[in-house]
Amino acid sequence: MIKLSVEQTAGGWDPVVDKYEKAFEPFTTQFVEEALRLTDLKPGQDVLDVAAGTGALTLPAAKVGANVTAIDFSPKMIDRLRIRLSDENLSNASVYVMDGQALDFPDERFDAVFSTFSVFFFPDRHKGFTEMHRVLRRHGCAGVIVWASPFRLMEFFRQAMAERVPEIAPPQPAAGIVALQDPDRLLSEMSAAGFCNTNIHTVSRVWATPSPDWLWEHATGIAPMIAKVFDHIDAKKKNAVGAAFVRNLADEFGEGPVYIERQAHIAIGGR
């Protein structure tokens, strides 16, 4: 049996829903907006959002007028998305707890299929890609967003932990995140799943956060691999790491806003 990493389990994501939505979704939404522009999504189209999280793509796609089906394997992510759709009075979206590697939909069900910052976590990426291809209608469009560069935030975590708790390994990016930073690898994996005429657009956006203190408070809980490390450090050591983290950020950015830039690949493929 394959041992799953924390980000490959629903239980890993359930505890980070609040901070992910509040702190990190505003950043990922910037890339989603570009993907929706590139795919020229139209009202009335049937759209599938694979591993939808708290709704970075589902909400704007529904506001365009598309009929959106959102799935995620984290029940708490789905619960939050259901609440947000209700709050926005968006009745043209439905949500389900479901594994992106085993979609419970018939062949050629959707006009467009999206996976935003998620497929690189799948234990079986090929299965995830082939399932997306299977449910996509002929002449439909798939949009896949993955990270194209390392996350500078992790450098500050590593630096602070090396200073204060060198005996503890810092959080590491998932293997799939690193693998799909290579655009040729991304193109190859999508082609192997059957996608054709795939174009990769590499774009850069900035995560603007209010201050070093705010970033420490929120960033330690935005993703399972980060939360797991800091949840297992005792309070005294965690506070020491936090002080070093904030100081190092302030040395570079000052006491005010922190701007962290990162690139993503937006792959647009067809069937």
Side-chain angles (χ1 to χ4, degrees):
M1 179 180 293
I2 298 175
K3 183 179 180 180
L4 300 179
S5 57
V6 65
E7 66 269 11
Q8 293 175 326
T9 68
W13 286 97
D14 285 347
V16 305
V17 170
D18 292 341
K19 287 186 176 179
Y20 183 91
E21 178 191 348
K22 179 179 180 180
F24 205 52
E25 187 186 295
F27 180 40
T28 61
T29 297
Q30 297 180 64
F31 298 99
V32 167
E33 291 170 348
E34 181 64 10
L36 292 175
R37 186 191 69 80
L38 289 167
T39 54
D40 192 26
L41 193 65
K42 295 289 196 302
Q45 289 186 312
D46 294 321
V47 173
L48 175 64
D49 186 4
V50 176
T54 52
L57 186 134
T58 295
L59 290 162
K63 289 176 182 178
V64 167
N67 302 311
V68 185
T69 300
I71 67 105
D72 199 286
F73 73 163
S74 164
K76 289 192 177 180
M77 287 283 191
I78 287 298
D79 287 345
R80 178 60 55 84
L81 179 50
R82 186 177 288 114
I83 291 170
R84 295 181 74 189
L85 289 167
S86 177
D87 289 344
E88 296 275 359
N89 293 314
L90 293 168
S91 59
N92 55 320
S94 54
V95 297
Y96 303 94
V97 176
M98 191 181 300
D99 184 351
Q101 301 163 112
L103 298 175
D104 189 19
F105 303 112
D107 295 353
E108 301 188 42
R109 167 67 178 79
F110 298 97
D111 299 303
V113 179
F114 292 91
S115 173
T116 63
F117 302 111
S118 58
V119 72
F120 42 51
F121 291 126
F122 288 10
D124 188 340
R125 290 199 303 274
H126 179 69
K127 184 63 175 174
F129 279 128
T130 55
E131 279 291 271
M132 291 174 63
H133 182 267
R134 179 183 65 79
V135 301
L136 183 64
R137 290 173 180 150
R138 295 187 184 279
H139 309 301
C141 180
V144 176
I145 310 179
V146 300
W147 295 117
S149 62
F151 199 8
R152 184 125 193 269
L153 177 70
M154 305 302 283
E155 296 178 16
F156 288 99
F157 280 139
R158 284 192 288 269
Q159 182 181 1
M161 293 183 70
E163 292 177 22
R164 299 300 185 183
V165 288
E167 72 279 9
I168 300 176
Q172 299 295 329
I177 291 179
V178 177
L180 294 185
Q181 287 177 12
D182 178 356
D184 292 333
R185 177 74 174 266
L186 174 59
L187 181 61
S188 175
E189 292 193 14
M190 290 186 67
S191 297
F195 291 105
C196 61
N197 301 319
T198 301
N199 292 303
I200 295 178
H201 308 262
T202 302
V203 300
S204 181
R205 295 292 185 269
V206 174
W207 187 23
T209 62
S211 68
D213 287 297
W214 185 97
L215 192 55
W216 170 252
E217 178 186 351
H218 291 82
T220 53
I222 61 172
M225 70 286 288
I226 299 174
K228 181 180 179 180
V229 170
F230 289 103
D231 284 348
H232 288 79
I233 298 177
D234 69 55
K236 183 177 180 180
K237 290 182 177 180
K238 183 176 180 179
N239 289 338
V241 173
F245 178 91
V246 169
R247 185 197 68 238
N248 293 335
L249 278 167
D251 287 345
E252 180 163 342
F253 296 99
E255 300 296 334
V258 176
Y259 300 100
I260 297 179
E261 185 175 8
R262 196 175 188 186
Q263 291 183 319
H265 297 311
I266 303 175
I268 308 297
R271 172 167 178 166

